[in-house]
Every structure is written in structure tokens, then in C-alpha cells.
């Protein structure tokens, strides 16, 4: 089983930027300044003037560095022009040694800054709150739309205006706190471009063992970023927990760009319901890296373009849980749909569709140091070289439950599982092998496959050397086996079909390389069926071989895919430790004249000799069978599909019905129906009956316009000599009749009939 590697989506540069934001201008208290008398900013309330309001024309910018001064609230409202200061000057600055509350509601006017932030608010001793409805446009190095920094207390940003920034390390919204929490609630549509640019960037620095440093982000707007290592939403904390809710669309482009990124030593919870699209090598849809527990609920669709660009990449050291209900599509090599790694327990549930096309790109790839559980209810297609539909390795035990469809790629399998303990696969859906013909590949000391659905391809259950574990094909299950079922025990309560119906295949149960120490056992219950294809040639047939013993009940069902012109004898089951017949029966067309034989204790043979004339036919059916034998002797020709159809019915009743469908009796039945139709129409003529003694007794007709409708149902029974038929018909007639004199009448009539004739064989 190939080893699987995991890429760490470190956003260390952005984390460093977040830490820088958190400590920005906090090394010493800011110098206190008073508001210039001529400024449109006025002290409007409080005995100490703690509230300041700015309105009108403040296009040159607002700079209130409060230091230890009295101001706590700054309101920006009712502007008459854009705030567009000189290059290098921040649009709005408000700092203090105490609490800071900044409310920006400029109306129709925007904030425009070059080589500087749109809004900057900071404090080193109190909470910092920014509420902004402004449209903000910044450009230049490290220019941020809204930047908030605090220490020892909560920093929060609520933004609803459009934000557009450009430049390296340019953020739409940036919030940072030292020994405090950070909160961002954004309904803004954000667009950023530049190396390490981010739509929303939040960072906290706390101390180990404290409760500080929690990050909460709620984003309902759309976020678009471009540039190397650009991130849509980024949250990084040293010790604090992270909670992210994203409802809008996120689009990122550039190598190592990420849609949503969360890194911390605490716990992480992410809920994403918007669409995420990334473009570039290493561009991951959602990335979580934590020393705590990671929990992700991804309801939106995710699509990535580039190598090493997984849809979801989660590293939760203490444990991880992922629920993905949206569709995931990746296009590059090394780009898993969902990749999760943990030293603890892991649970993954996928309800959407996952499609990967690159090499080494698993649909779901999960590795856990504890228990691993994977549940799939969607469609998974991983068709690249070295790609598994599902790869699950839990070293305390692994369980996979599938109710959807899983397709693996070449050199891997539909489902791959690895554990030092128990591996359990429960399948109610469909698992299909890739180009290498592997459906299930397990490595562990105790393996089990319970199939209630359909599995197509090879199955390997081993401890790395010998067959270990059991395959149980339950009632209703279909096991389209490939070349190998390597397992210690195989129990068939459903249908075992080597290669699948219509494909000639030889399936070997057990491992000949493990002889003589490990022998396999093949058991078929009374409800089990082994489906055998034959193509009519001496070597064209399915075969089941067992490196061990076979204990057989149930049935062998014969499917004919090529005409057996001459009698044939096929060894369909072989067990080198012996075959036990516990009432093995046969499902085959009567025309095959098939039987099971046991020439040795090691083999089961299927013997056939085609003759379409069988006991229990009526004279017409027997005549047809004689003609069909002549056609078979001539090679079948264009009638071959008909002959194959007759050779693939299950019993005499179906066989007779199939022969009856070839009978020409239905044509004579149609003629009888037409006769009755004509009689009914002619009987409807002369339809103006009158009473009286003054007309000729043989006519008694008057004159009128008339119309009539009728229905007819006729059932001719089946006998030994004829098939019988049923007819249903509806008739509408109308006409006119004129009295020429006391005796003669002239009439004109028309009729329409719709009828259906069907016979007992199903011909209509």
C-alpha cells in the first residue's frame, strides 16, 4: 500500500503580519493631540469632551492620536467629500492608551488612500471597536482597508462597505491583539492583490495557559485575492481558539494561495457554505493546522487548480472532524479532495461529490493515530495514477461506511485501508476498481468487508504477507470479482460474478504465495448465487479457484454470451483442498440442457448441449424449436441475438413465453380483430329506427342525423394448440339518413376504431 504524505499549509508570513498588526504602535503610548479649532471635528458631549464627531469636508484625512487624553469615541458622518489624503497619509487614524470606539458612516463618500491604510485604530490598554459602512480603496505596499490593533482587551471590526486594496501584505481587514481576543464581522465585498495579500487577516498573541487570544470571524460578503500566498480569510493565533464562519464566495489565485486558513495551538471550528475557488500550485481551498481539535463543516462547493492543491487540508493534532456536503473538484497532481491527518481520532463524513483528476490525488485521504471513521454518501471519482477513492489509516482501528459511489485510480484502489488493529468496510453503495483492477485493498491484523451493495474488482485483505480477514457478500449484494480475492474467508449470500456479467474472468480466492501455511475457505450459502459467463468456446468461461476449500450450496446461474454450437464441459469451480456439495443447484435455460458434474473431489463442472426442443412444449412451439436448431447448426447468422435470448431465460415458463413471442399467431389475431371491427361498423348503419304500420316491415327506418360510441372487449383463451389473445377496442360512428319515399332510404356513415391486440406471450 503506498504511503501517503501531507502538505502543511503554513501561512507563517501572514501570521507574522498578524503579529505585527497586533503590536503596531503599541511600544509606547501615543502622543496626545487636540483637534484643531478650524477642523470640522467637534467635541460634542461629555464634560471632558470624550466624544468627537467629524462631518463635512475632511478630505485631507483625520488624525486623532489621543494618547492618555480624554477621547473615547470618534464619529465620522455626513461627509461632503471623499477622504483622500496625500500619499503616505492614513485616511482615518484614532489611537489611545484607553478604550477606542470609531464609527465611520460617511454616506455616499469613500475613503481613498495611497501607500497608507484607509482606517487605523489602536489601543494598548483598552478595547478597540471599529464600525464602518465606508467604501475603502487603498493601494501601495502594506496598505490595508481597515486595520485594528489592541492589547490586553478585545479588538473588533464590523464592516459593510466595499473594500479594495493592492500591494504586498495588503489586507482588506486586519485585526490583531496581544493578550486579548479579536472579532471581525464583515458583510463587505473585499478584493485584494499582492504577495501575502489577504481579504481578512486576524492574529492574536497570548500566553500559554491563559484564555486570551480567541479569534472569531464572520464573513458574509465575497472575497477575491490574487498574488503569491494570498489568502481569502486568514486567522492565526499562538494559543487561542479560532471560530470562522464564511457564507460568501472566495476566489484566490497565485501559488500557495488559500481560500480559508486557520492556524493555532488551540481548537479550531470552521463553517463554510460559500463557493471557494483557488488557482495556483499549492492553492488549497480550506486549510486548518492546529495542536488542538479541528472541526470543519464545508457546505459550499470547492474547486482548485494546480498541483498540491487539495480541496480541504486539515491537520488537527488532538483530533479532527470534517463534514463536507458541498461538491469538491481538484485538477492537479497531489491534490486530494479531502485530506486529514491527526495523532488523535478522526471522523470524516462526505455527502457531496468529490472528483480528482491528477496523479496521487485521493478523493478522501485520512490518517489518524487513534480511530479513523469515514462515511461517504456522495460520488467519489479519483482516476489519476496512484489515486485512491478513499484512503483511511487509523492505527487504533479504521472503519469506512459507503452508501455512495467510489471509483479509484490505477495503482491504488476504490477503498484503501490500513490499521494495526481492526479494518472494517461496510458497503451499501458501489465501489469500482480503477485501471489496476483493485476495488478494496486492506492492510491490518484483522480485516473485514461486508458488502450489501456492489463491489467490482480485486480485493486484498492481508497483514502485509498472508491473507487475513473475511469478505461477506450479503443477500442482495453483488460481488463482481476481479482476478483475486485475497482473504482467509469468503462467504457468498448474494451474487458472485467473476468479472461481472458479460465479462470472462478467472477469480482466485486466497493467495498461492501463502501456501501451505494459510488456506482460504469459500462458503456459499443456500441463498448465494455464482454467476458464470460462457462464450461457447472450449476456453471461454468464468472460473472460481480456491487456494483452500469450497463448501457450496445455493445456485450456479449460467449466462451465455456466445453460441455453443457443440456440446461443452467447463470446470467452473476448483478448490485444491476439496469441494463439498451441500445441494448446489443450477439456474439455466432449458435449451442448454445443462447439468453440474463432479468428476473429482476438487472440481465442479458445467456440462451443456444446446437443443431448443425441450419437453413441455406445444406443437407450435416444438415446430419453432426445430427451425431454431437448424439455424444454430448453420451458425446462427443474423438470428444469433434471438438464440442468445432463448439461452438466457431461467426456466421452462420463461422459455415457452419467449418462443411464443416468435409465433405468427398474433398476425391472425389482428385479422380477427379487424373482422369484428367491420361487423360492428356495418351493424351501426341504418340507424334511424321508427315505429308504425305504414312502412315496409323489413326496413322500419326514418331519416335523421345520428352518432354513437361503443367499446368492445374480447378474450380468446389459451389452449395447448394456440396462444390465445385479448382485444380491447373503442369505436365511434356517425352518419346521416334521408327517406326518399315510403320504402327507400339513403344513408352515409363514417367510423373510427382504435384497438389493441396482445397475446399471452407478451406480443402486442
Amino acid at each position: 500500500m503506498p504511503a501517503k504524505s501531507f502538505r502543511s499549509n503554513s501561512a507563517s508570513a501572514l501570521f507574522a503580519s498578524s503579529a505585527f498588526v497586533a503590536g503596531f504602535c503599541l511600544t509606547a503610548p501615543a502622543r496626545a493631540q487636540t483637534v484643531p479649532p478650524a477642523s470640522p471635528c467637534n467635541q460634542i458631549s461629555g464634560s471632558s469632551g470624550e466624544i468627537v464627531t467629524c462631518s463635512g469636508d475632511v478630505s485631507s484625512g483625520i488624525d486623532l492620536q489621543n494618547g492618555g487624553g480624554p477621547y473615547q469615541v470618534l464619529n465620522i458622518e455626513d461627509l461632503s467629500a471623499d477622504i483622500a489624503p496625500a500619499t503616505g497619509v492614513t485616511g482615518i487614524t484614532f489611537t489611545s492608551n484607553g478604550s477606542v470606539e470609531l464609527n465611520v458612516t460617511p454616506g455616499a463618500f469613500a475613503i481613498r488612500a495611497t501607500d497608507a491604510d484607509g482606517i487605523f485604530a489602536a489601543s494598548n490598554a483598552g478595547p478597540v471597536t471599529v464600525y464602518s459602512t465606508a467604501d475603502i480603496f487603498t493601494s501601495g505596499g502594506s496598505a490595508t482597508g481597515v486595520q485594528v490593533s489592541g492589547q490586553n482587551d478585545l479588538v473588533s471590526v464590523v464592516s459593510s462597505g466595499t473594500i479594495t486594496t493592492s500591494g504586498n501584505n495588503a489586507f482588506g481587514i486586519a485585526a490583531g491583539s496581544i493578550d486579548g481576543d479579536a472579532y471581525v464581522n464583515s458583510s463587505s465585498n473585499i478584493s485584494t492583490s499582492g504577495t501575502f495579500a489577504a481579504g481578512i487577516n486576524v492574529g492574536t498573541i497570548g500566553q500559554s495557559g491563559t484564555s486570551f487570544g480567541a479569534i472569531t470571524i464572520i464573513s458574509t460578503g465575497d472575497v477575491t485575492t490574487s498574488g503569491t500566498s494570498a489568502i481569502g480569510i486568514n486567522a492565526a493565533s499562538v494559543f487561542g481558539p479560532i471560530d470562522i464562519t464564511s457564507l460568501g464566495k472566495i476566489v484566490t489565485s497565485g501559488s500557495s494561495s488559500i481560500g480559508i486558513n486557520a492556524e493555532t495551538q488551540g481548537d479550531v471550528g470552521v463553517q463554510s457554505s460559500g463557493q471557494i475557488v483557488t488557482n495556483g500550485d499549492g492553492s488549497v481551498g480550506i486549510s486548518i493546522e492546529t495542536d488542538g481539535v479541528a472541526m470543519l463543516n464545508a457546505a459550499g462547493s470547492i474547486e482548485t487548480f494546480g498541483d498540491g492543491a487539495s480541496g480541504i487540508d486539515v491537520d488537527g493534532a488532538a483530533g479532527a472532524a470534517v463534514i463536507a456536503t458541498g461538491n469538491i473538484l481538484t485538477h492537479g497532481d497531489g491534490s486530494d479532495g479531502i485530506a486529514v491527518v491527526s495523532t488523535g481520532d478522526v471522523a470524516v463524513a462526505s455527502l457531496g461529490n468529490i472528483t480528482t483528476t491528477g496523479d496521487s490525488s485521493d478523493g478522501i485521504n485520512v490518517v489518524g493515530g487513534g480511530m479513523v471513521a469515514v462515511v461517504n454518501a456522495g460520488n467519489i471519482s479519483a482516476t489519476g495514477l496512484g489515486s485512491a477513492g478513499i484512503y483511511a489509516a487509523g492505527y487504533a482501528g479504521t472503519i469506512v461506511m459507503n452508501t455512495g459511489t467510489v471509483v479509484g485510480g490505477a495503482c491504488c484502489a476504490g477503498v484503501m485501508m490500513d490499521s494495526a488493529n481492526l479494518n472494517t468496510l461496510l458497503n451499501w453503495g458501489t465501489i469500482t476498481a480503477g485501471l489496476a483492477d483493485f476495488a478494496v485493498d486492506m492492510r491490518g491484523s484483522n480485516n473485514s468487508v461486508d458488502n450489501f451493495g456492489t463491489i467490482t474488482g480485486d480485493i486484498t485483505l492481508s497483514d502485509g504477507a498472508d491473507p487475513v480477514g473475511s469478505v461477506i457478500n450479503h443477500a442482495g449484494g453483488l460481488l463482481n470479482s476481479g482476478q483475486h480475492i485475497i482473504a482467509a474467508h469468503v462467504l457468498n449470500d448474494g451474487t458472485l460474478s467473476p468479472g461481472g456479467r458479460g465479462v470472462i474472468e478467472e477469480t482466485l480466492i486466497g493467495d498461492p504465495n501463502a501456501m501451505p501455511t494459510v488456506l482460504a475457505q469459500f462458503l456459499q450459502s443456500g441463498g448465494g448465487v455464482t454467476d458464470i459467463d460462457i462464450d461457447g468456446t472450449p476456453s471461454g468461461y468464468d472460473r472460481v479457484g480456491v487456494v483452500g476449500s469450497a463448501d457450496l450450496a445455493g445456485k450456479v446461474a449460467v449466462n451465455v454470451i456466445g453460441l455453443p454450437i457443440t456440446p461443452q464441459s467447463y470446470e467452473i469451480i476448483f478448490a485444491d483442498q476439496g469441494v463439498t456439495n451441500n445441494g448446489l443447484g443450477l439456474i439455466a435455460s432449458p435449451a442448454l440442457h445443462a447439468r453440474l458434474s463432479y468428476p473429482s473431489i476438487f472440481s465442479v463442472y458445467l456440462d451443456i448441449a444446446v437443443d431448443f426442443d425441450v419437453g413441455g412444449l406445444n406443437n407450435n412451439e416444438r415446430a419453432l424449436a426445430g427451425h431454431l436448431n437448424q439455424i444454430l447448426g448453420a451458425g446462427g447468422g443474423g438470428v444469433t441475438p434471438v438464440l442468445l435470448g432463448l439461452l438466457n431465460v431461467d426456466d421452462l415458463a420463461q422459455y415457452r413465453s419467449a418462443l411464443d413471442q416468435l409465433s405468427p399467431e398474433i398476425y391472425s389475431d389482428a385479422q380477427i380483430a379487424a373482422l369484428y371491427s367491420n361487423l360492428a361498423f356495418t351493424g351501426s348503419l341504418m340507424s334511424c329506427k321508427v315505429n308504425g304500420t305504414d312502412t315496409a316491415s323489413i326496413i322500419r327506418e326514418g331519416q335523421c342525423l345520428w352518432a354513437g360510441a361503443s367499446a368492445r372487449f374480447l378474450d380468446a383463451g389459451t389452449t395447448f394448440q394456440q396462444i390465445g389473445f385479448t382485444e380491447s377496442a373503442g369505436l365511434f360512428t356517425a352518419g346521416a339518413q334521408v327517406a326518399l319515399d315510403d320504402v327507400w332510404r339513403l344513408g352515409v356513415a363514417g367510423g373510427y376504431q382504435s384497438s389493441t391486440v396482445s397475446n399471452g406471450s407478451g406480443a402486442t
Side-chain angles (χ1 to χ4, degrees):
M1 180 175 295
K4 299 291 181 181
S5 61
F6 295 86
R7 181 183 62 82
S8 174
N9 290 317
S10 175
S12 56
L14 280 173
F15 177 77
S17 299
S18 298
F20 172 73
V21 170
F24 187 82
C25 288
L26 296 179
T27 56
R31 176 174 57 86
Q33 293 186 356
T34 59
V35 180
S39 170
C41 301
N42 300 296
Q43 172 184 326
I44 63 170
S45 67
S47 59
S48 59
E50 68 272 15
I51 299 178
V52 176
T53 297
C54 301
S55 59
D57 186 354
V58 289
S59 56
S60 60
I62 299 170
D63 185 359
L64 180 55
Q65 300 184 50
N66 192 39
Y71 304 124
Q72 298 178 14
V73 179
L74 174 59
N75 298 320
I76 313 296
E77 59 187 27
D78 297 330
L79 299 187
S80 60
D82 289 346
I83 299 177
T87 299
V89 177
T90 298
I92 299 172
T93 299
F94 184 19
T95 65
S96 177
N97 290 341
S99 65
V100 169
E101 179 183 335
L102 175 58
N103 300 304
V104 183
T105 55
F109 296 97
I111 301 173
R112 304 179 187 276
T114 303
D115 290 335
D117 299 333
I119 296 174
F120 177 75
S123 173
N124 60 3
V128 180
T129 301
V130 173
Y131 172 82
S132 173
T133 63
D135 293 337
I136 301 173
F137 304 90
T138 71
S139 61
S142 303
T144 296
V146 178
Q147 186 164 188
V148 180
S149 179
Q151 188 169 359
N152 301 319
D153 216 324
L154 173 69
V155 300
S156 63
V157 177
V158 178
S159 174
S160 60
T162 298
I163 300 176
T164 302
T165 72
S166 63
N168 295 337
N169 297 295
F171 309 134
I173 297 173
S177 179
I178 298 175
D179 293 334
D181 299 337
Y183 171 84
V184 172
N185 189 332
S186 171
S187 58
S188 298
N189 291 329
I190 300 174
S191 177
T192 71
S193 61
T195 302
F196 296 118
I200 298 175
N201 186 42
V202 182
T204 61
I205 299 175
Q207 299 178 13
S208 179
T210 69
S211 60
F212 302 124
I215 294 175
T216 301
I217 299 174
I218 301 172
S219 175
T220 59
D222 296 338
V223 178
T224 302
T225 72
S226 62
T228 302
S229 299
I231 297 179
I233 298 175
N234 181 59
S237 178
V238 177
F239 296 108
I242 295 175
D243 187 359
I244 299 174
T245 300
S246 174
L247 306 181
K249 181 179 181 179
I250 299 176
V251 178
T252 72
S253 61
S255 61
S256 301
S257 61
I258 302 173
I260 298 175
N261 182 69
E263 298 182 34
T264 182
Q265 296 183 47
D267 295 338
V268 174
V270 176
Q271 298 186 62
S272 173
S273 60
Q275 181 185 12
I276 297 176
V277 180
T278 70
N279 194 335
D281 291 344
S283 59
V284 176
I286 299 176
S287 175
I288 299 174
E289 186 173 349
T290 174
D291 289 342
V293 176
M295 300 187 70
L296 169 62
N297 187 340
S301 64
I302 300 173
E303 185 171 10
T304 69
F305 298 84
D307 295 339
S310 296
I312 294 172
D313 196 339
V314 175
D315 184 346
V322 174
I323 300 175
T325 58
N327 296 333
I328 299 174
L329 175 61
T330 72
H331 296 275
D333 295 340
S335 302
D336 299 329
I338 299 174
V340 184
V341 63
S342 174
T343 56
D345 298 335
V346 179
V348 174
S350 175
L351 282 70
N353 299 328
I354 300 175
T355 303
T356 70
T357 57
D359 295 343
S360 301
S361 301
D362 298 338
I364 298 176
N365 183 312
V366 182
V367 177
M371 288 289 299
V372 164
V374 177
V375 178
N376 174 59
N379 298 325
I380 298 177
S381 175
T383 55
L385 181 66
S387 302
I390 297 175
Y391 176 86
Y395 291 96
T398 303
I399 181 169
V400 173
M401 292 183 287
N402 176 56
T403 60
T405 300
V406 181
V407 179
C411 296
C412 277
V415 175
M416 300 180 70
M417 301 173 66
D418 193 354
S419 177
N421 292 289
L422 178 64
N423 283 317
T424 300
L425 170 61
L426 301 173
N427 177 56
W428 290 270
T430 300
I431 299 173
T432 304
L435 300 179
D437 207 33
F438 282 95
V440 179
D441 189 3
M442 285 188 182
R443 297 291 185 272
S445 60
N446 190 352
N447 307 303
S448 67
V449 174
D450 288 89
N451 179 49
F452 303 87
T454 300
I455 297 178
T456 301
D458 287 347
I459 298 175
T460 298
L461 279 61
S462 78
D463 60 4
D466 296 327
V468 174
S470 61
V471 177
I472 301 177
N473 189 39
H474 292 269
L478 175 59
L479 188 57
N480 296 319
S481 56
Q483 295 181 5
H484 302 286
I485 301 178
I486 298 178
H489 304 279
V490 176
L491 171 60
N492 181 36
D493 288 329
T495 299
L496 171 65
S497 178
R501 176 157 281 213
V503 177
I504 300 298
E505 181 67 90
E506 180 175 352
T507 295
L508 184 64
I509 297 175
D511 185 0
N513 298 321
M515 286 285 289
T517 57
V518 179
L519 297 175
Q521 185 180 34
F522 174 44
L523 302 175
Q524 180 165 288
S525 71
V529 175
T530 298
D531 201 357
I532 298 296
D533 295 317
I534 59 174
D535 70 2
T537 65
S539 60
Y541 62 97
D542 287 342
R543 184 172 186 262
V544 177
V546 185
V547 184
S549 62
D551 195 330
L552 305 174
K555 303 288 185 180
V556 170
V558 183
N559 179 47
V560 183
I561 60 177
L563 286 181
I565 304 298
T566 59
Q568 301 291 340
S569 184
Y570 305 114
E571 186 188 37
I572 58 173
I573 300 175
F574 173 83
D576 56 18
Q577 298 298 306
V579 173
T580 300
N581 179 9
N582 284 326
L584 185 64
L586 188 62
I587 301 173
S589 169
L592 280 174
H593 298 270
R595 70 183 185 94
L596 298 176
S597 62
Y598 304 85
S600 75
I601 64 171
F602 305 106
S603 301
V604 179
Y605 275 74
L606 171 67
D607 304 318
I608 63 168
V610 176
D611 184 351
F612 290 101
D613 190 356
V614 303
L617 303 182
N618 64 30
N619 292 342
N620 287 342
E621 293 164 346
R622 184 162 301 222
L624 279 171
H627 292 299
L628 293 173
N629 281 332
Q630 293 177 350
I631 295 172
L632 175 67
V639 187
T640 296
V642 175
L643 302 182
L644 289 176
L646 292 169
L647 294 176
N648 281 298
V649 298
D650 291 341
D651 54 34
L652 179 60
Q654 294 183 30
Y655 181 67
R656 291 190 61 189
S657 177
L659 282 176
D660 288 344
Q661 292 180 45
L662 302 176
S663 170
E665 287 186 40
I666 188 68
Y667 299 106
S668 62
D669 296 342
Q671 291 176 340
I672 294 174
L675 172 63
Y676 281 112
S677 175
N678 289 332
L679 291 175
F681 174 70
T682 55
S684 68
L685 298 176
M686 306 301 290
S687 297
C688 296
K689 308 297 184 183
V690 297
N691 296 320
T693 59
D694 56 345
T695 58
S697 61
I698 62 171
I699 300 178
R700 291 190 176 276
E701 290 279 338
Q703 58 183 5
C704 67
L705 297 174
W706 59 271
S710 63
R712 183 178 66 256
F713 303 95
L714 178 62
D715 187 357
T718 299
T719 69
F720 187 77
Q721 297 296 331
Q722 66 182 24
I723 299 172
F725 69 95
T726 59
E727 181 206 7
S728 59
L731 174 66
F732 176 81
T733 55
Q737 185 169 296
V738 178
L740 300 179
D741 55 27
D742 290 342
V743 176
W744 293 99
R745 305 291 186 264
L746 174 64
V748 177
Y752 173 81
Q753 175 175 296
S754 174
S755 62
T756 300
V757 180
S758 60
N759 65 19
S761 68
T764 299

